[in-house]
Amino acid sequence: MWSTDPARSVDGGGVLPWVEPRKTRIGLVAGGLGAYWPQFPELLPQLQASARRVAERFGEFDCEVVDVGFISDAQEGAAAAEKLRLADCDLIVGFLTTYMTASMLVPVAQRSGAPVLLLNLQPTEAMDHASFDTGAWLAYCGACPLPEMASAFERCGIDFRSVSGYLEDERAWTRIHRWLKAAGVRAAFRHGRHGLLGHLYPGMMDVITDPTLVSAQLGGHVEILEIDDLRVRVEKVTEAETEARMKVAQDVFTLDDSVVEDDFRWGATVSVALDRLVEDFQLDTLAYYHRGLDGEAHERVAAGMILGASLLTARGVPAAGEYELRTSLAMLVMDKLGAGGSFTELQALNFNDNVVEMGHDGPAHLAISSAKPLLRGLGVYHGKRGWGVSVEFDVAHGPVTALGLGQLRDGTFKLIASEGKVVPGPLLQIGNTTSRVDFGCDPGEWTDAWSASGVAHHWALGTGHQTADLKAVASLLHLPLEVVNPT
């Protein structure tokens, strides 16, 4: 996979602004039944050591940990619940070190309003039955209260998930990390600000999204923007800023001979203005389209967005053309899972090579390109007004996942995913992203099944097989997940 850091300084002076994303905030509480401590004096220190190890492992993940310590009774549980309520966590993790009553954790779950993950991680793979006494056994007894917690949480209307294993069980930690990533996606939606700039591409009935439904089902805010919000910022870009952005682009892209200098300069200017738009409105995603007319200013601004939108996408601010809000949100999911997520649609089917060719004109996720991306000059954008420079590449060869955010007839959203593999082969050279994806079945059958899922005609294409992580995301978002797998 080709990689670059578009935020890095470039020889000659260009630096892209970078906003550090909000870290996922994890609330951590460990506990056990206080009645044991006077009976087995060595037990509590052992359990506290296990709790420190769990906190240490969480510290290795890219998240903020709010550790409220070890609780031994319901009163301490209530105090921990208040601390975690104030901390506004994205995920509450309860570590069941030994038996503990449900009354110790129910208040934590009720007051926080965050999803709950219960951990049952015993010290090692198994007990030494020949040498263990009751106190030693109790350190392995985290499984005992798990059904009690599940029953109490169900009766109290509290959702929860659990992971059982042992302290250094990497299989368990893989599952734990999956829930942390899912909590990060949920947090990105809950705190997100999503730009919707311009207007719907005329006639695209599948892509239009009611912004209120986004806030209602996913959280966050949709900011309605006009093309003039970008135009006025374009007009304020200095020549020096444009020159610096051109140097950045020359480092990130290979420039094809078809690139016209004035078009490249214009794209760089619009890119600087796009960064300002994102900063001024504190946007986490952007979906845009504006038609324009006869080469006037608005048409030129809209036509110049591909370079800047691609640089934004590579830096964690997904941008999608054609006013495709749901796809920019799907791209955000993939980006938060570390899979990139590039703006994609069907292009053609290749029945000789058994692949589906997919991609899009416009913005792309540069960080998941198979090689250094190409900037190509286009005299005309097919189906759109204007002209300028466009991005061309194929996604890194190997496992990939297509992810769409579908909408049902009652207005509710659902996640739609399919896993495949990008394979090498001939590609169009027309200034589009194009990837040849083998889904392990007849490409016509896959296309029929994918279309029947209710996905819109755009989606995010990301690297790696992500279905397992997406199941966790769907669980925390309370969305259905449909996996399209015709085989």
Side-chain angles (χ1 to χ4, degrees):
M1 184 188 302
W2 180 82
S3 65
T4 186
D5 180 358
R8 184 174 45 202
S9 295
V10 177
D11 291 342
V15 180
L16 293 182
W18 181 267
V19 177
E20 190 68 28
R22 177 187 178 278
K23 289 185 180 295
T24 306
R25 186 173 301 153
I26 305 301
L28 178 60
V29 57
L33 187 65
Y36 295 150
W37 313 153
Q39 295 175 329
F40 309 101
E42 296 180 358
L43 178 59
L44 178 58
Q46 181 182 359
L47 300 181
Q48 290 174 326
S50 292
R52 287 193 296 271
R53 178 56 179 152
V54 167
E56 183 180 276
R57 288 296 301 258
F58 273 99
E60 296 170 2
F61 297 118
D62 186 24
C63 62
E64 177 186 348
V65 180
V66 180
D67 187 352
V68 296
F70 200 99
I71 61 175
S72 300
D73 54 37
Q75 291 88 340
E76 291 180 0
E82 185 62 15
K83 292 177 183 177
L84 292 177
R85 182 187 69 82
L86 295 173
D88 188 27
C89 296
D90 303 311
L91 182 71
I92 299 296
V93 178
F95 177 25
L96 313 178
T97 66
T98 185
Y99 177 75
M100 56 194 297
T101 64
S103 64
M104 296 166 65
L105 280 186
V106 163
V108 173
Q110 285 179 318
R111 297 182 194 179
S112 70
V116 177
L117 176 65
L118 299 178
L119 300 186
N120 159 39
L121 300 177
Q122 62 189 39
T124 65
E125 295 96 320
M127 295 185 291
D128 181 358
H129 298 82
S131 64
F132 270 33
D133 59 12
T134 302
W137 156 60
L138 287 174
Y140 283 72
C141 199
C144 181
L146 186 55
E148 176 177 338
M149 298 296 172
S151 176
F153 281 20
E154 171 63 26
R155 295 176 70 187
C156 293
I158 300 168
D159 286 337
F160 83 99
R161 292 88 190 157
S162 68
V163 173
S164 293
Y166 57 94
L167 278 178
E168 305 303 333
D169 183 354
E170 293 307 319
R171 297 167 301 176
W173 282 103
T174 295
R175 300 198 301 275
I176 292 168
H177 191 210
R178 184 168 294 143
W179 289 113
L180 294 190
K181 289 189 288 184
V185 173
R186 178 180 178 273
F189 281 137
R190 193 162 66 98
H191 297 278
R193 291 177 54 83
H194 310 294
L196 194 55
L197 185 153
H199 61 82
L200 178 69
Y201 188 106
M204 288 186 180
M205 296 174 66
D206 62 324
V207 306
I208 186 63
T209 302
D210 180 348
T212 301
L213 294 181
V214 173
S215 297
Q217 297 181 51
L218 303 175
H221 168 76
V222 178
E223 183 73 18
I224 306 300
L225 303 167
E226 298 181 359
I227 191 68
D228 287 315
D229 288 316
L230 182 57
R231 176 189 58 80
V232 295
R233 288 167 173 80
V234 169
E235 293 170 353
K236 294 177 182 178
V237 175
T238 67
E239 186 66 25
E241 289 172 326
T242 296
E243 291 285 346
R245 186 55 51 91
M246 292 172 72
K247 290 175 181 176
V248 170
Q250 287 166 341
D251 183 68
V252 172
F253 295 92
T254 295
L255 269 62
D256 186 73
D257 292 340
S258 60
V259 172
V260 176
E261 175 76 12
D262 286 346
D263 292 345
F264 180 34
R265 182 175 298 276
W266 178 248
T269 301
V270 176
S271 175
V272 174
L274 271 171
D275 284 352
R276 248 174 229 146
L277 182 81
V278 167
E279 181 181 1
D280 290 346
F281 288 95
Q282 298 179 300
L283 301 180
D284 297 290
T285 69
L286 177 66
Y288 66 89
Y289 176 76
H290 182 82
R291 182 170 54 193
L293 187 66
D294 293 340
E296 50 80 38
H298 298 101
E299 179 185 286
R300 290 292 289 133
V301 168
M305 292 179 68
I306 293 174
L307 171 60
S310 296
L311 290 171
L312 279 172
T313 301
R315 286 143 59 209
V317 182
E322 299 179 8
Y323 213 60
E324 241 293 27
L325 174 58
R326 294 203 310 278
T327 294
S328 64
L329 299 179
M331 292 164 66
L332 181 64
V333 173
M334 295 299 272
D335 189 78
K336 292 299 180 183
L337 293 180
S342 202
F343 189 39
T344 304
E345 68 182 1
L346 289 172
Q347 292 178 328
L349 308 183
N350 188 324
F351 292 95
N352 292 326
D353 297 340
N354 213 45
V355 297
V356 178
E357 297 183 38
M358 58 177 66
H360 210 287
D361 63 320
H365 200 306
L366 307 178
I368 62 171
S369 175
S370 63
K372 192 171 185 179
L374 180 76
L375 204 61
R376 186 180 293 279
L378 297 181
V380 62
Y381 295 147
H382 70 274
K384 303 180 181 69
R385 298 194 60 85
W387 64 94
V389 294
S390 190
V391 174
E392 184 176 299
F393 76 71
D394 65 330
V395 169
H397 300 172
V400 291
T401 301
L403 175 68
L405 183 61
Q407 189 168 23
L408 304 175
R409 68 179 62 186
D410 64 358
T412 56
F413 298 139
K414 73 170 182 176
L415 296 174
I416 305 164
S418 187
E419 294 180 344
K421 179 173 66 174
V422 172
V423 296
L427 302 171
L428 291 172
Q429 299 178 18
I430 59 171
N432 282 205
T433 62
T434 304
S435 297
R436 295 159 46 90
V437 187
D438 182 353
F439 287 100
C441 63
D442 176 84
E445 293 180 6
W446 181 87
T447 301
D448 290 338
W450 182 247
S451 301
S453 71
V455 71
H457 80 280
H458 301 126
W459 52 87
L461 184 65
T463 55
H465 284 167
Q466 303 294 336
T467 297
D469 285 351
L470 289 171
K471 288 179 180 177
V473 169
S475 175
L476 293 194
L477 294 178
H478 298 286
L479 296 179
L481 169 65
E482 179 175 350
V483 178
V484 175
N485 183 12
T487 58

